[in-house]
């Protein structure tokens, strides 16, 4: 049984209910292929150790309010930097995902019922942390009729009621097969300041990297949200290093712009464990810079492109050009 006083995320202490590694990926349709020779991690891949008083403070607050972050659940390499600066990307709807994406370290398993207290606990935490910009994401909840969008809406409303000056970005799943009721939930006080949905990779790699997802469906989700809320910036992100080519990445960027997507993040994929999809190539900083230039020429209002960039990394700074300063 997990130690209630531990600062470790509970999901990391409950392997029987939170599948990771081989337990998680063993049943996906395309098996993970291990490389005989692992590419050496280059000098430009550097992350601060996830230690320090700021890290402990944020973890303690999360444990007290029974909240999860994608920072911990997905082993984000920027956790140390972000937590020490008092920022985190909150993950709602539990810490168990109904999908088994082999690039991701979020646990798979049987999800628990929605916690009706979570919106208020989240709002309280945002207030206590004094946050001016918040990113809210979630696990996939294919077991819910609206994919969990109604709970997203409840969280947005709760934070707005308690912290009306705080800007809110949502990083949503694809709501596959539930797009209509999901999009209907993001209205009124539940309309985010930024709507983010990651395509993650190029369409040719979807069967391997995103089983259960649909490239065209993800594009359509961004397009339909923009049609409903033309003044709200939309955003997406890609991870590089799974075997995609520059031409394929540029084609995805063009597809995003065709759907009116405003902002883009591009970062290097890092393998969470040997059981996950392998890194096939480390993209060089100059290549990330070239993609940033290409994205700006395409018309993105902001392109965050670099080896350590993640979807929510410095999200407040990226959004300034689209929604204005705080």
């Amino acid at each position: 049984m997990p130690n209630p006083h531990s600062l470790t995320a509970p999901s990391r202490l409950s392997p029987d209910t939170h599948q990771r590694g081989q337990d998680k990926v063993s049943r996906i349709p395309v098996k993970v292929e291990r490389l005989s020779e692992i590419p050496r991690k280059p000098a430009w891949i550097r992350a601060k150790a996830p230690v320090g008083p700021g890290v402990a403070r944020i973890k303690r607050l999360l444990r007290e309010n029974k909240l999860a972050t994608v920072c911990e659940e997905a082993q984000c390499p920027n956790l140390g930097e972000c937590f020490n600066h008092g920022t985190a990307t909150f993950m709602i709807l539990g810490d168990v995902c109904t999908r088994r994406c082999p690039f991701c370290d979020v646990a798979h398993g049987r999800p628990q019922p929605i916690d009706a207290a979570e919106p208020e606990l989240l709002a309280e935490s945002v207030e206590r942390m004094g946050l001016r910009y918040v990113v809210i994401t979630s696990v996939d909840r294919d077991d819910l009729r609206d994919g969990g969008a109604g709970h997203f809406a409840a969280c947005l409303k709760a934070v707005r009621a308690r912290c009306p000056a705080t800007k809110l970005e949502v990083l949503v799943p694809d709501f596959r097969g539930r797009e209509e009721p999901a999009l209907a939930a993001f209205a009124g006080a539940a309309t985010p300041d930024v709507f983010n949905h990651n395509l993650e990779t190029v369409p040719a790699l979807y069967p391997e990297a995103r089983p259960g997802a649909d490239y065209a469906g993800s594009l359509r989700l961004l397009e339909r949200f923009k049609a409903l809320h033309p003044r709200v910036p939309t955003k997406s992100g890609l991870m590089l290093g799974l075997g995609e080519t520059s031409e394929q990445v540029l084609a995805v960027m063009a597809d995003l712009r065709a759907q009116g997507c405003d902002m883009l993040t591009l970062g290097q994929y890092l393998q969470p464990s040997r059981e996950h999809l392998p890194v096939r190539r480390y993209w060089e900083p100059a290549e990330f810079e070239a993609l940033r230039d290409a994205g700006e020429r395409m018309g993105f209002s902001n392109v965050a492109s670099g080896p350590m960039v993640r979807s929510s990394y410095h999200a407040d700074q990226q959004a300034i050009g689209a929604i204005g300063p705080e």
Side-chain angles (χ1 to χ4, degrees):
M1 186 173 181
N3 179 358
H5 303 294
S6 173
L7 295 184
T8 303
S11 71
R12 300 274 168 189
L13 303 173
S14 310
D16 292 341
T17 56
H18 295 71
Q19 299 175 9
R20 286 189 167 90
Q22 185 60 29
D23 290 338
K24 172 181 172 178
V25 304
S26 61
R27 296 176 60 186
I28 60 174
V30 179
K31 300 305 178 185
V32 173
E33 176 188 351
R34 288 191 177 185
L35 300 182
S36 57
E37 186 174 343
I38 302 174
R40 186 173 182 178
K41 189 176 292 186
W44 57 81
I45 300 293
R46 290 287 181 268
K48 294 184 178 180
V51 296
V55 172
R57 183 179 74 88
I58 297 298
K59 287 190 174 185
R60 190 172 296 110
L61 178 64
L62 294 168
R63 301 296 88 82
E64 288 174 0
N65 284 346
K66 299 180 181 179
L67 296 173
T69 64
V70 74
C71 322
E72 294 177 286
E73 301 302 330
Q75 290 197 83
C76 179
N78 300 319
L79 183 151
E81 178 183 351
C82 293
F83 276 24
N84 274 314
H85 281 86
T87 61
T89 297
F90 295 100
M91 192 173 81
I92 62 174
L93 291 165
D95 54 14
V96 168
C97 188
T98 54
R99 299 192 191 172
R100 301 171 179 265
C101 297
F103 68 85
C104 177
D105 203 39
V106 173
H108 171 79
R110 183 184 297 276
Q112 296 296 312
I114 291 177
D115 181 0
E118 187 171 53
E120 285 302 324
L121 290 172
L122 173 60
E124 178 187 337
S125 296
V126 170
E127 183 178 47
R128 287 176 61 185
M129 292 169 70
L131 300 179
R132 307 294 292 177
Y133 193 97
V134 172
V135 181
I136 303 172
T137 190
S138 79
V139 291
D140 278 289
R141 289 297 299 264
D142 295 317
D143 59 311
L144 301 175
R145 283 191 154 189
D146 65 352
H151 194 68
F152 263 102
C155 289
L156 289 166
K157 291 175 182 177
V159 176
R160 284 233 164 89
R162 193 183 281 252
C163 309
T166 299
K167 301 294 187 183
L168 299 174
E169 176 178 326
V170 293
L171 171 55
V172 301
D174 59 14
F175 301 120
R176 188 175 183 185
R178 305 161 179 83
E179 295 92 345
E180 187 172 345
L183 288 172
F186 295 103
T191 304
D193 294 293
V194 175
F195 183 86
N196 185 356
H197 172 61
N198 286 336
L199 294 185
E200 303 291 9
T201 189
V202 301
L205 295 176
Y206 262 53
E208 178 182 9
R210 292 195 71 195
D214 176 67
Y215 178 76
S218 285
L219 279 176
R220 190 165 55 249
L221 181 71
L222 289 163
E223 177 190 27
R224 291 177 65 183
F225 180 88
K226 176 63 80 172
L228 291 169
H229 306 280
R231 295 185 179 181
V232 176
T234 51
K235 177 179 173 181
S236 191
L238 297 173
M239 54 187 174
L240 307 183
L242 292 174
E244 67 292 320
T245 65
S246 296
E247 292 76 17
Q248 288 173 322
V249 174
L250 289 169
V252 171
M253 292 166 62
D255 285 345
L256 284 167
R257 283 300 298 141
Q259 310 308 326
C261 186
D262 301 286
M263 295 186 285
L264 178 67
T265 58
L266 300 166
Q268 173 67 51
Y269 168 68
L270 299 176
Q271 186 183 30
S273 78
R274 289 296 305 276
E275 311 301 332
H276 290 78
L277 290 175
V279 176
R280 296 190 176 276
R281 182 166 86 85
Y282 287 101
W283 286 58
E284 298 189 5
E287 294 178 290
F288 280 104
E289 187 66 15
L291 289 173
R292 182 186 65 78
D293 290 341
E296 290 178 350
R297 290 195 301 271
M298 288 181 185
F300 286 101
S301 64
N302 188 284
V303 180
S305 181
M308 301 305 291
V309 167
R310 296 297 182 267
S311 185
S312 304
Y313 185 54
H314 294 170
D316 55 340
Q317 297 175 29
Q318 188 180 23
I320 287 175
I323 64 176
E326 297 173 2

